[in-house]
Amino acid sequence: MCSLHQKLWNIGLAYGNESVTGLVAGVDVGGTFTDIVVVGPDGITVDKVPSSPPDFQDGFLEALRKAGVDGETGEVPDRIVHGTTITTNAIIEQTGARIGFLMTEGHRDILAVGLGRRPKMYDIFMDPVEPLFLAPRRRFLEVPERIDTQGRVITPLDEGSVIAAATNLVTEHNVEALVVVYINAHANPVHERRTGELLRHQFPDLDITLSSEVLPRPREYRRLVAAGFDAYVKPVIRRYLERLHGLVSTTGSRLLVMGSAGGALGVEAVLMSPLTTVLSGPAAGVVGAARVASEAGFDNVVTLDIGGTSADISLVRNARPSITASASFGDYPLNLPMIDVQAIGAGGSSIAWVDGAGGLKVGPESAGANPGPAAYASGGTEPTVTDAGLVLGYLNPASFAGGLSLDPEAALDSIRKRIAKPLDIDEIRAALGIHTVVNSTMANALRLATLRKGHDPRDLALVAFGGAGPTHAGRLAAEVGIGTVLIPPHPGVLSALGLLLAPIQHSATKSLPPGATTQDATAVIAKLDSILEDELRKELVEPDDVERNHFALLRYSGQAHDLEVPLDVKHGLDILDKARDDFHGVHQATHGHSRPNTEVEVVMVRSVHRGPTSLQGTVQVGNQTSSAGVTSRQACFDPAEGFCDVRIFQRSALETEDPIEGPAIIEQPDTTTVVYPGDSAYVDGHNNLVMKVQPQGSR
Amino acid sequence: MTRTVAFDPITLEVLRGAFDVVADEMELVLLRSSHSTIINEALDATCAIFDAKGRTVAQAISLPVHLGVLVEVGKKLAAQYPEGEARTGDLYVLNDPYDGGTHLPDIAVAAPVLHDGALAGYVATMSHHSDVGGSAPGSVAANPVDHLAEGLRLPLVRLATGGETNTDVIEIIEANTRTPKTMRGDLAAQISACHIGAERFGSIIERWGRETVDSAIEALMDHAEALTRAEIETIPDGNYEFTDWLDGDGGSPPSEPLPFTVTVGVSGSDIHFDFTGTAPQVPTSFNNVPASTMSACYFVVRALAGDRAPNNDGCYRPVTAHLPKGTIINPEFPAPVAARSIGLLRVCSAVNGAMGLASPERFNAASCGQTSLLTVGGHDPEKGENFVGVIGGPWRGGLGARPGKDGIDVTDTEMSNCYHVPIEATEALLPLRFNRLSLWPDSGGAGKWRGGLGFEAEIEWLRGHGLVSVRRDRHVIPPWGTQGGLDGPVSHTAVRRADGTTEQVPSKGLLRLEAGDVLLLKTTGSGGYGSPLERDSAEVLEDVLDGRVSVDAALELYGVVVVDGAVEPEATEETRRNLGTRTQP
């Protein structure tokens, strides 16, 4: 296990409006490891313990114990912010709640009819793209009612049918949650709300989800999927959080949970909107990266978290993670505001292979953590990206990912057998090829991800973290033309730190009817604001400490996709007119053209209220904690030049602002940073490693 | 292992990714900024890049239906605007089906890519536009007089010359559509996509050098060819003949069913498609031009190689075809071709059937085999405006049962890959209401593996009137089952008039709806695979409990006796034994 437990100094801290003497802790529970960061007046403590699926709370408590903040000994944190993978797991492993649906008469099959479009269009053996596992068809029952597109009641709600259908679902099918999805409920939720009242009265123990509350927007399939998943995960996360909350509150700590939109919420708020935790961990990573970058002077960055099986890419603008109003989880459109994180199937354990006609490919298949890369010598025989890094001398066979030892012979052997021989090239060229191909795959994804947001990656800095991020970042940056790479002090536990840097945040959205005026919009915003103020008060945040931001979603008349534009509610002018004007510019920036003479529709407004973060002020992590000397190892960057002696530095021994010219390798317990030939690196005043990269020119 | 690539495999993979990204970037711009529902909801649009010889280098995959199409566009570009003719800032436009296009609504916009003044290649986009004039709103009339009545025909011409927009052409286009605003927006999106594509393709050449890029393109094509040939080689040599049928030509009176006959000849790694025996061309618009027909052949070949082979010219090299002139799959000008997509699906199901004879473990039973595309135009008195649109909901029934797997309910299949148009989106645009849209029980052909189900819909016309262009099929000839699997049912179309009378409607033609009329659609599912008597009775029970299979069909087709939500094992055994004896030859 990693020896990350260290006390550092030079920390400038404040804790919102709470006591400045207490501790705060971030606990990020992943599938493999549970990371903890504790910050207090004495410094920062970082630890890692194995996760404990399926009872993740055990690993959580073990992390508190290891960090000495479990209440047994010493102080307990005032506040613990938690990143969880429970929701994600329930969806991926299809282990959510047993749910049933009430649907408009004639429309029980919205899920079965589904999307229509298939992701693999040449594969006749594909599986359906719709989440049919939410419930079998027999658990979709119909109720007479109908609202038209303008919200007028066409067929009144048959309340007797509501009770009859729900009773059938409860008694015959043993459902633990009910979902109501009526056609055009976004235009007028009156029938869904009445149904909700009836159901809550009749079945007080059941969870009830209304599609118009989860996603008040048109497009019935998307609304059903969002509402269905809400109900599917709610009982699961409730059971978990209630258990955890009970355990944590006995120690006197207050539990907050990280949401996918980049803010932390109280347990009660999470249970109102459980799907918000679907990207809990990755969102925290982006928040951490955004903050670290901003303090280092970079407000516009792309973040890259490379783990074993996947790489997460996200864009940060003006020091704020970019939020998408309509995020998907894999193929499932959840349509919730989330930090826009794009995951691609490329990581340290991605398998390299040769196709039937002598082409070199890397991924998307992964050796995972078990058996893992060939170099783990635990049964894996397929060559992976990590094996290539080891063969090339980038990784230290004696200590990888916190003390794991690697078998260079096994790595070399797998590359020889599976890649070098079939391609008729030497092992070194093969290993470099694996690195080049995976870097290019990630660079392409990174490029598309930033362009999708209307940004040229060359204008951005790259923040690299995760176990494998700093190993690849230099090459990847060069490939897309990024000149600066920032590697935070603890790249392996950045998500846990990010938990402490996330504000308490609530948001609310509402559709506007066609032809809505600024007065209409202002009234809607005022209503959203008052709801959010109440919610933040419940989180012990006073209105004076709240930062309020408002957004409008707009599109050209006839378009199916909308873009978000900030609303200036204090602006004296017509705020919708102003938003429409701004929209042309945003459209131009995002899509390369605009049509100032075309009608612009305002689709919905969104209000976001941010309270203080758990940790304020500057995150100043002290540097130079060891005096380990510089060593060297044979490594290869160019097949023509072969292996050469490369200097190996220990991150903990680096002096601030002391430049290191590449090639060089910088080791620390949770990652390995490679400074490629021609590039250079130094430690900045915040103990970040800053790498200056030569963009890849013509060859 | 056959090592055929005489190029550094690492650089090759890097460049393959780079070319794909150019096409993806183009598609990103195109889809997100288009105006019409067909493009931005249904994604009926595609992008590709070509080398200087007009050969496909990469394609952003959204619709297989465009596969062969852009091959022809590339060839046309290279022939008409070669080195010397093409200038930086040029834009070209084309939709002529008899000269590189498919049907008139599909408009291609392309741009050359020049490096140091020399032609390096082209980028192109193709989008299905919502209207290009002609006799019916939506420009997909089933019964035009001839091709010239189908709408505006654009031979390959310059839309811009050296950066200067040719506004004359744009004005002509806008004057020939019922929806000029949408047309303007969609063309602008295509132009943006081409600009970005040309710039990105240029920067790849800038970085790697023209020579490396050119030889990488050759190597990538060789590589794709090798992968495709390796798959074809796994099919036993021989000739495999199969015929599937279109209900008729939709004329008045409609013709007899029309045969689509194909003999697939496999010899080593070569594959040949011979359509001798296919029906003569029809006077209605259900003909397919060769570019269109070939895309169905390419689709089936690509289905063999899967998504892993690069999508370039090399994939097409092992493929040859004989398309007899004057037939429904290679008509003589000026036969109308607008409503091509149903015939295209039939080419696809015929080829699929022939491939299934060659390799039953790799091909499925017939899918739904129709596009239930209903374009409508009319006047909405409430909004006081004319409209043209597509009646939404799904356009397809089921995916045919696969060896080892059931089919998929109500999904786009084969050549097309569009999102269903949400009911709520359709109701917001058109004066209609979906009173019902649900799975059609028993519409998936029975089999050891059951076919995917189709749907039934009841759509009420609310006010004013609408003129609906109906393009459906499988009302006479059902989707076939295979290997002992049963056929799916035939589709139905009818109208329940406001006065309560019900009229049956043929699968093709024009239909006028008045306020209070209800359009009744039953769109078939697909065929089954393997004998239904071999289907696990527990699976049959699941289908009964979920209402996909009725109790009667469980008994009569599967021989499974379901009483009170449970299988009666002894009665089932006996019924299955009896049914088995009865079906013995």
Side-chain angles (χ1 to χ4, degrees), chain B residues 58-241:
Chain B
Q59 197 179 359
I61 306 164
S62 66
L63 274 191
V65 77
H66 290 274
L67 262 177
V69 178
L70 286 161
V71 171
E72 292 306 310
V73 171
K75 284 182 193 155
K76 268 303 283 181
L77 286 168
Q80 192 168 325
Y81 299 109
E83 177 86 49
E85 287 291 323
R87 290 168 54 190
T88 298
D90 278 2
L91 284 168
Y92 314 119
V93 64
L94 165 144
N95 76 344
D96 184 354
Y98 285 95
D99 206 7
T102 54
H103 62 164
L104 296 176
D106 282 348
I107 299 180
V109 174
V113 180
L114 288 97
H115 182 71
D116 290 341
L119 182 70
Y122 306 87
V123 294
T125 64
M126 186 179 263
S127 299
H128 184 123
H129 290 256
S130 47
D131 189 278
V132 289
S135 62
S139 315
V140 280
N143 287 294
V145 179
D146 60 15
H147 178 55
L148 292 163
E150 297 193 298
L152 174 69
R153 190 166 156 232
L154 294 161
L156 183 59
V157 294
R158 289 179 200 265
L159 197 60
T161 310
E164 194 78 24
T165 305
N166 194 344
T167 49
D168 294 355
V169 173
I170 296 205
E171 280 178 27
I172 291 171
I173 295 173
E174 287 185 7
N176 280 279
T177 168
R178 293 176 179 86
T179 52
K181 204 165 82 176
T182 306
M183 170 66 79
R184 201 175 308 140
D186 288 351
L187 275 182
Q190 286 188 275
I191 291 168
S192 280
C194 284
H195 284 155
I196 279 169
E199 183 198 318
R200 295 296 307 148
F201 193 170
S203 65
I204 291 177
I205 300 169
E206 193 66 42
R207 160 148 180 214
W208 294 90
R210 177 70 193 269
E211 212 173 307
T212 304
V213 168
D214 279 356
S215 48
I217 286 172
E218 294 292 343
L220 281 170
M221 290 177 181
D222 291 347
H223 178 236
E225 179 181 358
L227 285 176
T228 308
R229 286 192 180 281
E231 294 295 339
I232 296 170
E233 262 173 357
T234 64
I235 300 173
D237 281 6
N239 289 317
Y240 308 95
E241 187 188 317

Side-chain angles (χ1 to χ4, degrees), chain B residues 282-338:
Chain B
V282 293
T284 51
S285 62
F286 297 96
N287 299 296
N288 267 273
V289 296
S292 189
T293 303
M294 286 310 294
S295 63
C297 301
Y298 295 143
F299 170 75
V300 173
V301 171
R302 269 201 71 82
L304 274 176
D307 273 335
R308 280 185 167 169
N311 198 353
N312 66 37
D313 189 75
C315 307
Y316 311 137
R317 290 180 188 162
V319 183
T320 54
H322 172 59
L323 314 178
K325 195 76 189 153
T327 61
I328 194 167
I329 50 93
N330 185 7
E332 308 250 19
F333 180 83
V337 298

